[in-house]
């Protein structure tokens, strides 16, 4: 397949998509901010001490965000394709459960190279520094290595999550074929944003559950939450554009292969039926030679 897709063009088109559907993405951002609002203000090292309502609310908010992504995919892609749009996509609950199952499979598959790369990078460091590494070095090295290993697989297998929103094939096999030839283009597009999110999150002081929460923690937590959700929905718009561009390219390649196959079959059938003259299968030099021979006679 030829004709590589430009990541910069995808980014510009993602911004244009947000401009075309401003209420959709603004609404998704606001809802996500409200739904995920309580979490930065609870101790991250004391899940056991969380109130019961928050322990129940946590997985429910995750499921809700899956549903919200499906709504955004459905609305945005059908807007691009100028098709009918439903406020609530059909079989939403089934689609959410299917997305969760696909997530579990993806984490299992992509986690293997992530862990392998983490070991490859950390073992030489432990050998070089037998006295031990600082906690920050271990965390950042492990996080970046896991991010690279996981990200390289994710760039090939993310397609099903968007496809589910528009009732199209959500197989990893189709995703692998659609993204072929664009692994590093997709990876190097998303990797800087992932590092930005990781860095921003690392700036938030660890809240250990003191009675009075420091104002700095409140401000940084709120700012990081806003930044992460803005970045998240921008990347969702990017995913949508990547999906549409890759699918058009993939479908065009399939159509080209099928057309070539049908042309060959038709030619063989017509050849077998005696419809074609022999000269049709002659080379250009053979044809010129025959014409020369006829003129000589």
């Amino acid at each position: 397949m030829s004709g590589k897709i430009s990541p910069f063009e995808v980014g510009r088109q993602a911004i244009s998509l947000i401009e075309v559907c401003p209420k959709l993405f603004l609404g998704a951002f606001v809802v996500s901010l409200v739904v995920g609002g309580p979490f930065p203000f609870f101790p991250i090292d004391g899940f056991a001490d969380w109130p019961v309502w928050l322990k129940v609310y946590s997985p429910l908010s995750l499921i809700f965000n899956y549903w919200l992504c499906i709504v955004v995919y459905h609305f945005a892609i059908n807007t691009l394709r100028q098709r009918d749009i439903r406020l609530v996509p059909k079989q939403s609950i089934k689609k959410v459960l299917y997305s969760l199952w696909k997530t579990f499979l993806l984490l299992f598959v992509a986690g293997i190279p992530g862990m392998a790369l983490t070991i490859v990078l950390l073992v030489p460091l432990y050998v070089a520094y037998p006295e031990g590494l600082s906690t920050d070095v271990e965390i950042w090295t492990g996080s970046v290595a896991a991010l690279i290993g996981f990200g390289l697989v994710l760039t090939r297998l993310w397609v099903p999550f968007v496809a589910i929103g528009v009732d199209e094939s959500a197989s990893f096999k189709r995703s692998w074929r659609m993204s072929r030839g664009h692994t590093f283009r997709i990876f190097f597009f998303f990797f800087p944003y992932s590092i930005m999110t990781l860095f921003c999150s690392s700036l938030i002081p660890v809240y250990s559950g003191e009675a009075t929460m420091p104002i700095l923690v409140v401000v940084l937590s709120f700012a990081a939450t806003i930044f992460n959700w803005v970045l998240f929905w921008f990347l969702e718009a990017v995913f949508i554009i990547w999906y549409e561009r890759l699918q058009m390219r993939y479908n065009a390649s399939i159509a080209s292969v099928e057309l070539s196959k049908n042309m060959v079959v038709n030619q063989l059938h017509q050849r077998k039926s005696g419809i074609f003259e022999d000269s049709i299968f002659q080379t250009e030099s053979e044809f010129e030679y025959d014409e020369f021979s006829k003129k000589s006679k």
Side-chain angles (χ1 to χ4, degrees):
M1 290 184 285
S2 59
K4 299 293 185 180
I5 300 172
S6 169
F8 299 103
E9 186 177 350
V10 169
R12 289 194 296 268
Q13 291 176 347
I15 295 175
S16 298
L17 175 62
I18 296 174
E19 293 174 347
V20 170
C21 308
K23 293 181 180 179
L24 173 68
F25 286 96
L26 179 60
F29 164 73
V30 172
V31 171
S32 299
L33 188 62
V34 172
V35 171
F39 297 107
F41 304 100
F42 282 85
I44 62 174
D45 60 344
F47 178 79
D49 298 328
W50 283 13
V52 176
W53 71 267
L54 187 60
K55 294 179 181 179
V56 175
Y57 180 78
S58 178
L60 291 179
S61 67
L62 176 65
I63 293 174
F64 176 81
N65 280 318
Y66 268 90
W67 174 82
L68 188 59
C69 287
I70 290 173
V71 171
V72 171
Y73 297 149
H74 169 80
F75 193 103
I77 292 178
N78 284 322
T79 298
L80 291 175
R81 299 177 181 178
Q82 298 182 344
R83 295 180 178 177
D84 294 335
I85 299 172
R86 294 172 59 93
L87 181 60
V88 179
K90 296 180 180 179
Q91 300 180 325
S92 295
I93 297 178
K94 181 179 179 180
K95 290 177 179 178
V96 169
L97 294 176
Y98 192 36
S99 296
L100 289 170
W101 170 243
K102 285 290 184 179
T103 301
F104 172 78
L105 293 178
L106 181 60
L107 290 174
F108 177 77
V109 173
I112 296 175
M115 289 187 294
L117 187 58
T118 302
I119 294 173
V120 169
L121 290 181
L122 284 178
V123 168
L125 291 177
Y126 286 128
V127 173
Y129 300 94
E131 66 278 4
L133 300 172
S134 67
T135 304
D136 290 339
V137 172
E138 290 181 343
I139 293 176
W140 272 100
T141 303
S143 299
V144 173
L147 190 62
I148 294 174
F150 182 84
L152 288 174
V153 178
L154 179 63
T155 55
R156 300 298 301 272
L157 301 179
W158 59 268
V159 169
F161 299 99
V162 182
I164 290 172
V166 286
D167 300 311
E168 294 178 347
S169 175
S171 69
F172 285 132
K173 183 178 180 180
R174 176 173 177 261
S175 176
W176 192 268
R177 290 178 175 177
M178 282 180 59
S179 57
R180 182 179 299 163
H182 287 81
T183 303
F184 291 103
R185 287 171 178 259
I186 299 174
F187 175 78
F188 286 116
F189 186 92
F190 289 106
F191 186 72
Y193 295 102
S194 301
I195 294 296
M196 287 169 60
T197 303
L198 187 64
F199 177 73
C200 182
S201 299
S202 70
L203 294 178
I204 302 175
V206 176
Y207 171 47
S208 300
E210 292 86 354
T212 304
M213 193 173 188
I215 186 64
L216 178 62
V217 176
V218 175
V219 173
L220 287 179
S221 297
F222 187 69
T225 301
I226 292 177
F227 173 81
N228 286 336
W229 281 119
V230 169
L231 187 59
F232 176 84
W233 287 111
F234 170 70
L235 292 181
E236 289 300 309
V238 171
F239 270 122
I240 291 171
I241 298 298
W242 268 115
Y243 179 81
E244 285 294 272
R245 294 292 302 274
L246 289 173
Q247 181 177 240
M248 286 188 287
R249 183 174 177 271
Y250 179 67
N251 291 341
S253 67
I254 292 178
S256 177
V257 171
E258 289 297 323
L259 179 61
S260 301
K261 178 182 177 181
N262 292 335
M263 289 178 62
V264 171
V265 170
N266 290 335
Q267 287 176 346
L268 292 174
H269 175 71
Q270 292 173 346
R271 171 67 173 176
K272 184 177 181 181
S273 302
I275 298 176
F276 283 177
E277 297 292 336
D278 290 342
S279 60
I280 292 181
F281 289 91
Q282 290 176 323
T283 63
E284 184 177 356
S285 59
E286 290 173 337
F287 181 78
E288 291 177 351
Y289 177 78
D290 288 349
E291 289 296 311
F292 176 78
S293 299
K294 292 177 182 179
K295 290 180 181 179
S296 299
K297 294 179 180 179

